[in-house]
Amino acid sequence: TNLQQRRREGPAAALLWQKPRSAAQQRHSVTAILSKMAGADGDDSLYPIAVLIDELRNEDVQLRLNSIKKLSTIALALGVERTRTELLPFLTDTIYDEDEVLLALAEQLGNFTMLVGGPEYVHCLLPPLESLATVEETVVRDKAVESLRKISQEHSPVDLEVHFEPLVKRLASGDWFTSRTSACGLFSVCYPRVSSTVKAEIRQHFRTLCSDDTPMVRRAAASKLGEFAKVLELDYVKSDIISLFTALASDEQDSVRLLAVEACVSIATLLPQEDLETLVMPTLRQAAEDKSWRVRYMVADKFSELQKAVGPEITKNDLVPAFQNLLKDCEAEVRAAAANKVKEFCENLPEDSREQIIMTHILPCVKELVSDTNQHVKSALASVIMGLSTILGKDNTIEHLLPLFLAQLKDECPEVRLNIISNLDCVNEVIGIRQLSQSLLPAIVELAEDAKWRVRLAIIEYMPLLAGQLGVEFFDEKLNTLCMAWLIDHVYAIREAATCNLMKLVEKFGAEWAQNTIVPKVLGMANDPNYLHRMTTLFCINALSEACGQDITTKQMLPVVLKMSNDQVANVRFNVAKSLQKIGPVLDSNALQTEVKPVLEKLATDTDMDVKYFAQEAISVLALA
Amino acid sequence: LHPLLHSPVHPLKKVDGFPRRSMRRARQRRSHSSSQFRYQSSQVELTPLPLLKDAPVAELHDLFCKKLQQCCVLFDFLDCVADLKGKEIKRAALNELVESVATSRGVLIEPLYPEAIKMISVNIFRTLPPSENPEFDPEEDEPTLEASWPHLQLVYEFFLRFLESPDFQPSMAKRYVDQKFVLQLLELFDSEDPREREYLKTILHRVYGKLLGLRAYIRKQINNIFLRFIYETEHFNGVAELLEILGSIINGFALPLKAEHKQFLVRVLIPLHTAKSLSIFHAQLAYCVVQFMEKDATVTEYIIRGLLKYWPKTCTQKEVMFLGEIEEILDVIEPSQFIRVQEPLFKQIAACISSPHFQVAERALYFWNNEYILSLIEENCQVILPLVFATLYRVSKEHWNQTIVSLIYNVLKTFMEMNSKLFDDLTASYKVEKQKEKQKTRHVLDDICSIIRHIIFHIVNMYRLGHLLNGSHHDSTHSLPCFKLKIVDTIGEETLKE
């Protein structure tokens, strides 16, 4: 009765009403349980378990937590019967603890079916989970609901009606909002497997919660509406769900209305095409024009799903104008969400009228967005706009999209330019990149010199791709200098990426190209007064030697590396050792023995311990000892 | 929702990709307009009406009504040059309305109520725009200000004067100021503009005071806002303002406290302490909590146990706030209630005293400077001193901060004067306890030493053996026992030292 009373009041209240247990009392209760569990015959094998159980009561949260996490061990040791008769009541009784412990407990109980004796006894787990499902803390409650959903599948249909469904009902009519919120997530798991009378009750409970007094519960119900609709018979979807959907979609709180938009997708998928117009569309139209931007944002965000759910006809008649409005919305958030969907929306338009719809309805809006005042809108658009070229084909792309790409390539915001450049491959397939090259170059140059190193880094990563598409001549003429300039960037990450970039370029354009264009410049840096630049030479050699092959490595790179072994900066010297180790395998054995070995041996006697170390390492790896 | 990052500062000012707070703040103050303008189909051209003060008495109400209707037209304030003439006409009209409601009697007649409330609703009720800065930190960042404030302020001023007018009749107003109206009013408390929240606070307070039928509803909706704030969004700009209103509401609760009010305390006010942004509204929250205690001392235990349950584990700033609140509570606590919570409370206080963060320790030790708390401690010295003694003694020897050490000495001195017998007993038993512990470590140490001796013995033997095998006659054992002693001595010294 004490427990029932506590359950009624909820755990938080129980905690506060509860008298603190004195240490002696606590010890007493634990030993009582221990002696009970360990048995009067002094069963020593249970001692470790007794310790774990003792720790369930420890003052230190961490110890309690550890013990809870080993709950399955305890249960396994006790056996199914004692787990049912002793451990579970004990847990149910000590449930008023730190949220962290409760979370662990809620999770554990979801995997407890076998430990209480299999599906036949799974209902024993319901009382503690029921209490956990009423806790104030959201994560605990959610975890308890998750576990309840899991074990509901392990109930037999009879047990589901005898044990599980009454629990759902109790939660659904709880005093405090937490239990009603939890109930919302449980209807759909038991509905398909109960008798029709119980089904009717469940529907009734769900209806009640959809018009609950507190917005928290209505939100929970709205977020489960789609899921619940899926398990209902079609007739009830039409008679029950639609009215609930309509009501929630016109709730006084926008936080409820926006969740109804999510449900709209599932509901529309369930209904036959001919019912959509009357049952769903009025609500959807209203949501797309809601006075709260949050709701409109949600519509924009779910637009592709909605489009698929309502089918081509309604898309043509309703969604196209709605999408146009969202693209022109007064809030940047909404416009950005809609801009993100432009490509997907166009792709999914019915083929017979796709081009016409895009050209007459969507493209004008897109044109406006290109010069939007908000950079996030432009950036969202830039990340998808290139995809339109494959849909519209070569001529339309050149005539209509190209000017937009060019405009975005000149945008003041680097993210916009970057998004365009990173999607160049889509355009390349349709019209070839050369159409863009005139504007591409200034954009790339500007990004290459952007003040933000992350922007520079991003553009470097697209270099190999661009090089491949633009061809070697264009590259040499326009981009080569950039690639070399990055090697002396003041940010290490850029220099590193630039080195890696060179390697990829050489892989693309071949060793001969490298020998003529890159290698001389890289080697030239070996005489730079800045030791960081001298080290970059070494890093480049590390990266390039393999791609350039033995000839270039031995004849051009090796002498430079060897010369640098006399550098006055120790960092350069030990990097010489590392480089020699790296390029060693590319060299022939003659060069190794006559040129590399003496230098490494000299470095191995260096005054600096790091130089010594790396020289010795190189000697042993190259087997020169 | 969609986390739009704020726009970057000028590229030249930035060296890397990390946004800097200082730069963000240096940004020009932005202002917001709300999503309402697109719903106005066509802009109406305003024409100035005659002044209210020049109107003949017979036409006064009619003119007042026309002005109210004129003020229902909304203007785009983001475009600061748009329709300047219209804006000025509306501003002048609003000013006149404010003045008229504030000064002249007999203006507010029944037919004007729906018109006035309509004008107010049209102007103030709007969906608040998305926050310009999604990581808006009310303590650090400048708030985004409402662009239409030049008009909005006058509308709020009018509303306030309307509610405060001696002619105001709640029985007439309640038909228009209904639940739906109040709900929308409460949503506005999320406004980022502090000027707007200030007006809303005063207005809601007046509404609560004058429209009795709405009181329960207002309390319930505030509850919902708080619960959403605590358990769902963790974001609501007007928590401090709502708590301030609640402070005065709690003050007026009848005794004995209804279950609803107690539930509000235990399930809403106490959990509010868990919020990340507690510092913004802590003063108001603590005030509410203390108000509850002053109303009904029996809630003390729930409050203290609640605070102890939610005691911050890692955030020291919050811990200092909690300690401050505890002191406020102890300032007004009934001695009989104090006895019920002293044990867990002083365990927590002892934990705070031993915090390595000196502000936390200092804040806890300040309790002993409070006359009333000191008297409570003195009365219950037998219980409290044993709870804190070991901590005080230990921290007085270990704390890195001199201020804390000297504060602790004062506290120890106070206890000594309070009950020297108990103090001596505790000191003695503490020392015995320490001695036992020391002995325990001593035993452990002895064990370790003997193990080390064994190991060294073996090493020495192997060493000798090696030399013998190598044919060396050099006896190096004399240097090894020194080495052995050195190890043993070092360990002994470090741990045996008091």
Side-chain angles (χ1 to χ4, degrees), chain A residues 14 21 63 100 137 166 170 212 227 259 407 457 502 518 539 556:
Chain A
R21 286 166 187 266
L63 286 178
E100 218 176 331
E137 178 50 54
R170 276 196 303 278
D212 196 274
E227 178 190 291
L259 290 167
L457 187 64
L502 287 187
I518 292 186
F539 297 146
Q556 301 191 7

Coordinates of all heavy atoms in Angstrom, one line a residue, chain A residues 14 21 63 100 137 166 170 212 227 259 407 457 502 518 539 556:
Chain A
A14 N 7.5 11.4 -3.9 CA 7.8 10.4 -3.0 C 9.2 10.7 -2.3 O 9.4 10.6 -1.1 CB 7.9 9.0 -3.6
R21 N 16.5 7.8 5.6 CA 16.8 6.6 6.3 C 18.1 6.8 7.1 O 19.0 7.3 6.5 CB 17.0 5.4 5.4 CG 15.7 4.9 4.8 CD 16.1 4.0 3.7 NE 15.0 3.6 2.9 CZ 14.3 2.4 3.2 NH1 14.7 1.7 4.1 NH2 13.3 2.1 2.5
L63 N 28.8 4.1 -7.4 CA 28.7 2.7 -7.0 C 27.4 2.1 -7.3 O 27.2 1.0 -7.8 CB 29.1 2.5 -5.5 CG 30.5 2.7 -5.1 CD1 30.7 2.5 -3.6 CD2 31.4 1.6 -5.8
E100 N 20.4 9.5 -13.1 CA 21.3 8.7 -13.8 C 21.2 7.2 -13.5 O 21.3 6.3 -14.4 CB 22.7 9.1 -13.4 CG 23.7 9.2 -14.6 CD 25.0 9.7 -14.2 OE1 25.0 10.5 -13.2 OE2 26.0 9.3 -14.7
E137 N 12.1 13.4 -15.1 CA 13.2 13.6 -16.1 C 12.9 12.9 -17.4 O 12.7 11.7 -17.4 CB 14.5 13.1 -15.4 CG 15.7 13.2 -16.3 CD 15.9 14.6 -16.9 OE1 15.9 15.5 -16.2 OE2 16.0 14.6 -18.2
P166 N -3.8 -2.7 -19.2 CA -4.2 -1.9 -18.0 C -3.1 -0.9 -17.6 O -3.5 0.2 -17.1 CB -4.4 -3.0 -16.9 CG -4.7 -4.2 -17.7 CD -3.9 -4.1 -18.9
R170 N -3.7 3.0 -17.1 CA -3.3 3.7 -15.8 C -2.5 5.0 -16.1 O -2.7 6.0 -15.6 CB -2.6 2.8 -14.9 CG -3.4 2.0 -14.0 CD -2.6 1.4 -12.8 NE -1.4 0.6 -13.2 CZ -1.5 -0.7 -13.6 NH1 -2.6 -1.3 -13.6 NH2 -0.4 -1.3 -13.9
D212 N -5.8 16.9 -24.4 CA -5.4 17.0 -23.0 C -5.2 18.5 -22.7 O -5.0 19.4 -23.6 CB -4.1 16.3 -22.8 CG -3.8 16.1 -21.3 OD1 -3.2 17.0 -20.7 OD2 -4.1 15.1 -20.8
E227 N 2.4 7.4 -36.1 CA 2.7 6.0 -35.8 C 1.4 5.3 -35.4 O 1.2 4.1 -35.8 CB 3.7 6.1 -34.6 CG 4.1 4.8 -34.0 CD 4.8 5.0 -32.7 OE1 5.9 5.5 -32.7 OE2 4.3 4.6 -31.6
L259 N 4.0 19.6 -35.0 CA 4.1 18.1 -34.9 C 3.0 17.4 -35.8 O 3.2 16.3 -36.3 CB 4.0 17.7 -33.5 CG 5.2 18.1 -32.6 CD1 4.9 17.9 -31.1 CD2 6.4 17.3 -33.0
A407 N 26.4 33.9 -61.0 CA 26.1 34.9 -59.9 C 26.6 34.4 -58.6 O 27.2 35.1 -57.8 CB 24.7 35.3 -59.9
L457 N 41.0 25.5 -46.8 CA 41.1 24.0 -46.7 C 40.1 23.3 -47.6 O 40.4 22.4 -48.4 CB 41.0 23.5 -45.3 CG 41.3 22.1 -45.0 CD1 42.7 21.8 -45.3 CD2 40.9 21.7 -43.6
L502 N 49.2 18.1 -54.0 CA 50.2 17.9 -55.1 C 50.3 16.4 -55.5 O 50.4 16.1 -56.6 CB 51.6 18.4 -54.6 CG 51.7 19.9 -54.5 CD1 53.2 20.2 -54.2 CD2 51.3 20.6 -55.8
I518 N 56.2 21.0 -61.1 CA 56.1 21.1 -59.6 C 57.4 20.9 -58.9 O 57.8 21.7 -58.1 CB 55.2 20.0 -59.1 CG1 53.7 20.3 -59.5 CG2 55.2 19.9 -57.6 CD1 52.7 19.3 -58.9
F539 N 58.3 17.5 -46.7 CA 57.0 16.9 -46.7 C 56.5 16.6 -48.1 O 55.9 15.5 -48.4 CB 55.9 17.7 -45.9 CG 56.3 18.0 -44.5 CD1 56.0 19.2 -43.9 CD2 56.9 17.0 -43.8 CE1 56.3 19.4 -42.5 CE2 57.2 17.2 -42.4 CZ 56.9 18.4 -41.8
Q556 N 66.8 14.1 -58.7 CA 66.5 15.5 -58.3 C 66.2 15.7 -56.9 O 66.7 16.6 -56.3 CB 65.2 15.9 -59.1 CG 65.5 15.9 -60.6 CD 64.4 16.6 -61.4 OE1 63.6 17.2 -60.9 NE2 64.5 16.4 -62.8

